Amino acid sequence: MLRTGLGLCFLLFISLALSAGAQTTDTIEKDSLKIDTNMLNRYRLFPQKNAIPVKNRPLQIQPEYLPVNLMDYKVSYWRKNITFALNFNQAAFSNNYAAGGVTSVALGSNFIYHIEYNKAPFSYVSELNLLYGKSKNKGQGARKTNDRIFFDNKWASQLSKHWFFFGSLSFESQFDKGYQYDPNNVNPPLLISDFMSPGYLTESIGFEYKPAKYFDLRLGTGTARQTFVSDTTIYRNNPGNYGVTPGKTFRNDIAFQIVAIFDKDIAKNMHFNARYDMFIPYQQPLSYVRHRFDAILAAKVNRLINVSINGTLLFDKNTSNSVQGTEGLSLGVLYKFP
């Protein structure tokens, strides 16, 4: 009996020991699983530094140009315009008109072709100005009232905001013969000018100052002018012969030239254009400095009708010892395109 009781006690003790060991193992396994879960959560929230090195490259953004089909637009650096003016004046008197007067007809015309090219830093300006007018009084022959051919070309390269280096070429003459008339109508008219008698060709290089679009100042430090008198008989009526030696047809002068141009709308429908030209020859005294001032003030009445007044002042000792001048007032048709 005693042996049997001891055996049962021994079996019971072993059973209790195995049960406690199983519970301990289960607790350790649960705790281990709990630790692993916490570690996973920790790594998920606070990831550790990667052991593999990774290079950080800066983000680069570049423009991507997409093809766009443009319409047929072209950039033009040229600007052109044409101005044509025609003035007509007429007066009629009966033979018995008490206040007196002379029947007369006068016609004047002006044609201007202007072209510009502007593409920085280069520019080119060309202008052709043609003037011609005649009047006819009863009992007298037709007489010129205006006659001029002027062709000016200028090339320029920009040096700074307002300064340019320029080269220019200009030509000046007239269309028709010019006469000096006897105020008493006793002596026949004397021929004193004609086409290319005189004629002027001027080449100039220098510096240009242009502070505004409407003002232009040229300083021609190197200027040459050729004077032509193709009619070798004009000196008989004009002893000065425009500075050309009688019997010859050509004279060349080296000079310093100043040209100032003002061209602006000074009021609504009113435009003012003025040009001053001073020519200082190096080979002659200062008394032979040539001054010429041309101005025209034009006011538009409507789209076609305009009123204009123009004038010229000239001092040139090669043609006269005193100041010469002309003035005209006209009402007529003016068309400008575009």
Side-chain angles (χ1 to χ4, degrees):
M1 291 293 292
L2 182 59
R3 288 181 180 179
T4 303
L6 291 171
L8 291 172
C9 290
F10 180 75
L11 291 174
L12 180 61
F13 179 78
I14 291 174
S15 298
L16 293 173
L18 292 173
S19 177
Q23 291 179 357
T24 303
T25 303
D26 184 62
T27 302
I28 292 173
E29 290 178 355
K30 288 182 178 180
D31 292 341
S32 176
L33 180 61
K34 184 176 180 181
I35 292 171
D36 292 342
T37 303
N38 292 334
M39 289 181 67
L40 289 175
N41 291 334
R42 181 182 176 185
Y43 278 105
R44 187 180 297 115
L45 296 176
F46 306 100
Q48 298 297 314
K49 186 176 181 180
N50 195 344
I52 301 175
V54 178
K55 294 183 179 179
N56 294 325
R57 296 181 179 180
L59 182 63
Q60 296 182 354
I61 300 176
Q62 296 180 349
E64 186 70 23
Y65 297 99
L66 299 177
V68 178
N69 294 327
L70 298 177
M71 301 181 69
D72 292 335
Y73 289 118
K74 294 182 180 180
V75 177
S76 178
Y77 300 98
W78 293 91
R79 188 176 68 176
K80 307 174 186 178
N81 62 70
I82 297 174
T83 303
F84 179 74
L86 186 64
N87 304 311
F88 178 76
N89 299 314
Q90 183 268 339
F93 301 88
S94 63
N95 293 332
N96 61 343
Y97 189 69
V102 178
T103 300
S104 64
V105 176
L107 183 67
S109 62
N110 186 11
F111 176 82
I112 300 174
Y113 179 73
H114 184 92
I115 182 171
E116 290 186 21
Y117 174 83
N118 287 287
K119 186 179 180 182
F122 301 104
S123 66
Y124 169 69
V125 179
S126 177
E127 182 172 298
L128 175 64
N129 193 341
L130 307 177
L131 284 168
Y132 190 76
K134 268 198 170 186
S135 68
K136 175 75 167 63
N137 296 334
K138 185 177 180 180
Q140 296 178 345
R143 300 183 179 185
K144 286 196 308 182
T145 58
N146 226 336
D147 189 4
R148 190 187 188 201
I149 303 172
F150 182 71
F151 186 38
D152 185 47
N153 298 271
K154 183 197 71 174
W155 299 264
S157 178
Q158 191 168 11
L159 301 175
S160 64
K161 184 177 181 180
H162 299 304
W163 285 95
F164 298 78
F165 179 78
F166 83 93
S168 67
L169 175 67
S170 64
F171 171 76
E172 183 179 0
S173 189
Q174 60 188 35
F175 290 101
D176 203 358
K177 295 180 179 181
Y179 294 91
Q180 187 177 48
Y181 297 95
D182 182 7
N184 299 320
N185 293 324
V186 176
N187 299 317
L190 301 176
L191 178 67
I192 58 172
S193 64
D194 201 348
F195 176 71
M196 291 302 291
S197 296
Y200 301 98
L201 186 65
T202 306
E203 308 88 23
S204 182
I205 59 172
F207 299 94
E208 177 185 31
Y209 177 63
K210 195 175 182 67
K213 291 183 177 180
Y214 56 84
F215 181 75
D216 183 1
L217 178 66
R218 304 180 196 174
L219 304 175
T221 53
T223 303
R225 170 173 291 175
Q226 295 78 45
T227 303
F228 303 90
V229 179
S230 58
D231 190 339
T232 56
T233 64
I234 283 182
Y235 77 94
R236 300 171 184 172
N237 302 325
N238 185 359
N241 203 39
Y242 302 101
V244 179
T245 303
K248 295 185 178 181
T249 59
F250 171 82
R251 174 189 172 91
N252 185 59
D253 289 297
I254 305 299
F256 177 80
Q257 185 183 38
I258 298 176
V259 177
I261 301 173
F262 182 88
D263 190 5
K264 185 182 180 181
D265 291 330
I266 59 175
K268 186 178 180 180
N269 296 331
M270 185 174 291
H271 187 82
F272 181 66
N273 178 275
R275 179 187 177 97
Y276 170 72
D277 182 358
M278 181 171 69
F279 186 81
I280 308 173
Y282 292 139
Q283 301 168 334
Q284 291 182 303
L286 289 178
S287 60
Y288 282 85
V289 174
R290 179 180 183 265
H291 303 269
R292 179 172 181 131
F293 178 74
D294 295 276
I296 179 170
L297 178 64
K300 294 184 66 176
V301 178
N302 55 34
R303 188 182 175 206
L304 291 178
I305 306 301
N306 82 304
V307 179
S308 63
I309 180 171
N310 63 82
T312 299
L313 291 175
L314 173 64
F315 177 76
D316 186 356
K317 203 168 182 180
N318 290 319
T319 59
S320 176
N321 290 324
S322 58
V323 177
Q324 307 169 58
T326 178
E327 176 270 333
L329 175 66
S330 61
L331 172 66
V333 177
L334 182 142
Y335 182 74
K336 186 174 183 178
F337 177 82

